[in-house]
Amino acid sequence: DVVMTQSPLSLPVTLGQPASISCRSSQSLVYSDGNTYLSWFHQRPGQSPRRLIYKISNRDSGVPDRFSGSGSGTDFTLKISRVEAEDVGVYYCMQGTHWWTFGQGTKVEIK
Amino acid sequence: EVQLVESGGGLVNPGGSLRLSCEASGLSFSYAWMRWVRQAPGKGLEWVGRIKSIGDGGTTDYAAPVKGRFTISRDDSKNTLWLQMNSLRTDDTAVYYCTTDIDGSPGLWGQGTMVTVSS
């Protein structure tokens, strides 16, 4: 099974400052069709997860442009350019190349 | 409005059975590959299983922890997905989410339904 490892697992952030979460996979996520199926999700307390980013860097409809995804192969990053209060919660990366596997989650909270 | 609405959760004894439903609206359900994802209390997300569209064969796949105990099915005439759970164990306790495959990952999620396995 592909293992997804996120870091850090806890991220205290200052409002208005940037934040970054890393996600590494135990094997390459490049699929035979040339796509890399790496996604990012945000889950607020008591709510369902919401997808933010798919195929490394594509933002879902309605997702603010302060969120961006990057990376390739086995190393990926989610960046928030300026953290807002509504960004608190847990962020998960997920690979969809070899069945589905989620990372452990990164809890983002305001300092 | 595009949405998925799960139902059927509840409290069940170990070894018991439960059937979850997911009703879809606002999307072309018959073309959708559907999945169930679960989240144990205070824990992360775990893929449970998938069913392809009937046009793509309608086949199912399951994660190792539930294989042989859980069965996913669908009725496109009712825009409904089901998860039949048998031989339930305490470690099956979780919120169960219905999701759709969009561009290789769950692009749409339901609100979830809680399943508690306890005596």
Side-chain angles (χ1 to χ4, degrees), chain B residues 59-79:
Chain B
T59 54
T60 54
D61 295 284
Y62 301 93
V66 308
K67 197 169 186 178
R69 301 187 298 123
F70 290 11
T71 302
I72 299 174
S73 59
R74 63 190 298 161
D75 184 337
D76 291 348
S77 69
K78 297 180 179 179
N79 286 351

Side-chain angles (χ1 to χ4, degrees), chain A:
Chain A
D1 289 2
V2 177
V3 177
M4 305 298 288
T5 304
Q6 291 181 227
S7 63
L9 299 184
S10 178
L11 182 59
V13 297
T14 301
L15 290 175
Q17 293 300 303
S20 179
I21 300 171
S22 171
C23 177
R24 291 186 172 177
S25 59
S26 59
Q27 57 184 277
S28 173
L29 299 185
V30 180
Y31 191 55
S32 55
D33 64 3
N35 288 308
T36 299
Y37 294 101
L38 186 285
S39 303
W40 291 94
F41 299 84
H42 177 215
Q43 186 177 32
R44 296 189 179 102
Q47 295 187 13
S48 304
R50 173 199 182 193
R51 192 174 69 180
L52 302 173
I53 303 282
Y54 62 95
K55 288 193 285 188
I56 302 178
S57 59
N58 296 274
R59 269 192 307 276
D60 272 280
S61 175
V63 174
D65 60 7
R66 64 179 182 274
F67 290 93
S68 64
S70 64
S72 64
T74 60
D75 289 337
F76 306 92
T77 302
L78 176 71
K79 293 183 179 178
I80 309 173
S81 59
R82 295 174 306 279
V83 173
E84 298 189 5
E86 65 181 17
D87 299 337
V88 299
V90 181
Y91 290 80
Y92 296 93
C93 64
M94 191 215 88
Q95 68 83 18
T97 296
H98 311 281
W99 298 112
W100 282 7
T101 316
F102 292 91
Q104 322 97 299
T106 294
K107 186 174 184 179
V108 171
E109 55 188 7
I110 305 299
K111 284 182 182 176

Side-chain angles (χ1 to χ4, degrees), chain B residues 7 11 28-30 40 49 64-66 68 70 75 85 102 104-105 118:
Chain B
S7 60
L11 175 63
S28 298
F29 183 77
S30 62
V66 308
F70 290 11
D75 184 337
M85 304 184 293
I102 302 175
S105 71
S118 175

Side-chain angles (χ1 to χ4, degrees), chain B residues 18-36:
Chain B
L18 207 58
R19 189 193 199 200
L20 307 183
S21 300
C22 169
E23 187 169 346
S25 57
L27 71 153
S28 298
F29 183 77
S30 62
Y31 293 99
W33 290 22
M34 303 295 297
R35 299 195 192 228
W36 290 95

Side-chain angles (χ1 to χ4, degrees), chain B:
Chain B
E1 180 186 7
V2 181
Q3 63 176 355
L4 301 171
V5 179
E6 301 95 333
S7 60
L11 175 63
V12 61
N13 291 323
S17 298
L18 207 58
R19 189 193 199 200
L20 307 183
S21 300
C22 169
E23 187 169 346
S25 57
L27 71 153
S28 298
F29 183 77
S30 62
Y31 293 99
W33 290 22
M34 303 295 297
R35 299 195 192 228
W36 290 95
V37 175
R38 68 183 181 183
Q39 186 172 35
K43 302 297 185 182
L45 301 166
E46 179 186 29
W47 170 68
V48 172
R50 174 195 72 186
I51 186 167
K52 295 182 179 180
S53 63
I54 301 302
D56 287 321
T59 54
T60 54
D61 295 284
Y62 301 93
V66 308
K67 197 169 186 178
R69 301 187 298 123
F70 290 11
T71 302
I72 299 174
S73 59
R74 63 190 298 161
D75 184 337
D76 291 348
S77 69
K78 297 180 179 179
N79 286 351
T80 300
L81 176 75
W82 290 286
L83 177 65
Q84 177 67 43
M85 304 184 293
N86 299 329
S87 303
L88 282 161
R89 310 187 302 220
T90 55
D91 61 358
D92 293 319
T93 294
V95 175
Y96 284 74
Y97 295 102
C98 167
T99 72
T100 63
D101 276 21
I102 302 175
D103 283 309
S105 71
L108 180 65
W109 297 67
Q111 86 287 352
T113 187
M114 182 70 203
V115 172
T116 303
V117 185
S118 175
S119 54

